[in-house]
């Protein structure tokens, strides 16, 4: 059997009968040695390592040498070891079989294995009865266009998927999806979710995204980690403080950028000008137009570019805090080449006068010149 017990004996006694006589040796006793290990007297049956050590001793060093390395003996205890979570290489013996063996042999190692399994079942049941406390933590700061990451942790881990309501708020305007959302925490107890931001073209103060846990019936909210914040950094250059784009020029450039019938290249050129002016162009990622690029279009005889060159030059000068440069439109350069005193350059960069802007075309003239001016 599997019960640890004291060694015993079996005695055979010959009784008297009418047809025979009893010899001088009328009784014989045979000693029977127990081959089961004694109970280890574990004070805490949830002590996993102690139970494992006990079962390995039973498997590898049975009192009966004949059972050592016996395949059936070794396999049996390996299956018990697997049942309590030890990697023995065998399939686990069903818990019910271990409990039945423990009931049949209450002093055997089956009893220790059974008690350990029951203690684990009890602890799991207690955990399942506890209401998880949910906390939220924040990932590292992001630059606009990146994803802000938040992590929810439920302690203890829920027995089934747990839906947690989270409210996302934003400081600044980074195109994040705010408001309430439902985040599902699996039985692992941990889940992360991301909130995307938009890489716009506006210079603006740095901002942040905050995830706040809302109360729920199936969980409690951590008193110390009920909200978390991710910093969002702006990546756009501040607009020049030294020059304001002429309102008429800006309005005309905006209208040119809307002339989709002129083709994508035409529209994108004017959108790049708007970016250089510091305007937001949703969905457009092209680089800002420079004054030197704009000058190449003015040099082609496209007169609508003349005031754009002047505005871009003024912005670039203000950005670099350099001495003012004098940009001359095509018509002024022509006048200078002809010796016109009107086009004479000022004597020094600090001279107060700047070539007067060309008079902007009226809307009717602008429409008539639209094809040749792009």
């Amino acid at each position: 059997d599997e019960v640890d017990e004291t060694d015993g004996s079996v005695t055979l006694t010959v009784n008297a009968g009418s047809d025979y006589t009893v010899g001088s040796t009328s009784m014989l006793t045979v000693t029977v040695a127990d081959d089961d290990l004694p109970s280890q007297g574990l004070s805490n049956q949830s002590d996993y390592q102690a139970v494992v050590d006990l079962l390995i001793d039973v498997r590898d060093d049975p009192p009966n040498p004949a059972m050592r390395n016996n395949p059936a003996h070794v396999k049996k205890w390996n299956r018990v070891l697997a049942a309590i979570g030890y990697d023995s290489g065998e399939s686990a013996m069903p818990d019910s079989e271990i409990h039945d063996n423990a009931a049949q042999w209450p002093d055997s190692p089956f009893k220790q294995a059974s008690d350990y399994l029951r203690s684990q079942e009890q602890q799991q049941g207690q955990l399942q009865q506890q209401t998880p406390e949910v906390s939220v933590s924040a990932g590292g700061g992001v630059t606009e266009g990146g994803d802000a990451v938040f992590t929810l942790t439920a302690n203890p881990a829920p027995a089934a998927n747990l839906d947690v309501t989270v409210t996302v708020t934003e400081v600044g305007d980074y195109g994040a999806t705010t408001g309430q959302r439902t985040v599902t925490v699996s039985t692992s107890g941990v889940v992360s979710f991301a909130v995307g931001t938009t890489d716009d073209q506006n210079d603006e103060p740095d901002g942040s995204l905050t995830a706040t846990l809302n109360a729920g019936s199936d969980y409690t909210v951590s008193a110390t980690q009920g909200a978390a914040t991710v910093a969002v950094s702006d990546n756009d250059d501040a607009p020049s403080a030294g020059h304001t784009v002429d309102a008429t020029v800006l309005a005309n450039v905006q209208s040119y950028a809307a002339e989709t019938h002129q083709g994508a290249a035409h529209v994108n050129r004017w959108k790049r000008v708007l970016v250089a002016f510091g305007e937001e162009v949703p969905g457009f990622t092209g680089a800002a137009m420079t004054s030197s690029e704009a000058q190449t279009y003015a040099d082609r005889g496209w007169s609508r570019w003349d005031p754009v060159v002047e505005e871009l030059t003024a912005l670039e000068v203000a950005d670099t805090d350099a001495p003012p440069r004098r940009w001359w439109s095509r018509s002024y350069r022509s006048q200078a080449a002809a010796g016109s005193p009107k086009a004479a350059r000022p004597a020094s960069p600090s001279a107060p006068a700047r070539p007067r802007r060309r008079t902007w075309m009226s809307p009717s003239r602008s429409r008539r010149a639209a094809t040749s001016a792009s």
Side-chain angles (χ1 to χ4, degrees), residues 106-175:
D107 294 326
S108 74
F110 277 117
K111 180 66 165 60
Q112 275 72 23
S114 174
D115 287 347
Y116 174 78
L117 291 173
R118 291 191 188 282
S119 71
Q120 295 304 298
E121 293 169 0
Q122 182 179 14
Q123 289 179 15
Q124 186 63 32
Q126 291 173 346
L127 290 176
Q128 291 178 357
Q129 293 173 5
Q130 294 180 16
T131 301
E133 180 184 84
V134 181
S135 60
V136 59
S137 59
V142 299
T143 300
E144 64 176 49
D147 291 341
V149 177
F150 300 91
T151 299
L152 268 60
T153 302
N155 185 29
N161 286 348
L162 176 66
D163 288 340
V164 178
T165 305
V166 181
T167 297
V168 176
T169 55
E170 179 181 37
V171 174
D173 184 11
Y174 289 96

Side-chain angles (χ1 to χ4, degrees), residues 223-371:
T224 57
Q225 290 183 279
T229 299
V230 173
V232 182
S233 301
D234 178 64
N235 63 357
D236 300 296
D237 293 331
S240 169
H243 179 74
T244 300
V245 175
D246 183 85
T248 301
V249 177
L250 175 60
N252 281 308
V253 171
Q254 290 171 332
S255 68
Y256 303 153
E259 294 173 342
T260 56
H261 63 282
Q262 297 285 2
H266 169 92
V267 170
N268 288 340
R269 277 196 297 268
W270 292 110
K271 285 184 176 180
R272 292 182 60 201
V273 175
L274 289 173
V275 173
F277 283 177
E279 296 297 304
E280 181 177 3
V281 185
F284 181 69
T285 58
M289 178 75 70
T290 65
S291 61
S292 59
E293 289 180 277
Q295 187 66 57
T296 63
Y297 299 125
D299 288 342
R300 298 179 188 180
W302 297 349
S303 58
R304 63 168 61 171
W305 285 91
D306 291 337
V308 173
V309 170
E310 293 190 10
E311 294 297 335
L312 292 177
T313 300
L315 288 171
E316 291 169 2
V317 170
D319 282 342
T320 59
D321 293 325
R325 294 182 297 170
R326 296 302 176 186
W327 283 85
W328 298 77
S329 66
R330 180 177 52 82
S331 59
Y332 279 96
R333 288 198 304 276
S334 299
Q335 295 171 9
S340 170
K342 177 181 179 182
R345 291 178 179 268
S348 69
S350 60
R354 179 178 181 178
R356 189 175 59 186
R357 287 198 180 107
R358 295 164 55 86
T359 303
W360 196 252
M361 291 187 293
S362 66
S364 59
R365 291 180 60 198
S366 177
R367 286 193 295 273
R368 287 196 299 273
T371 301

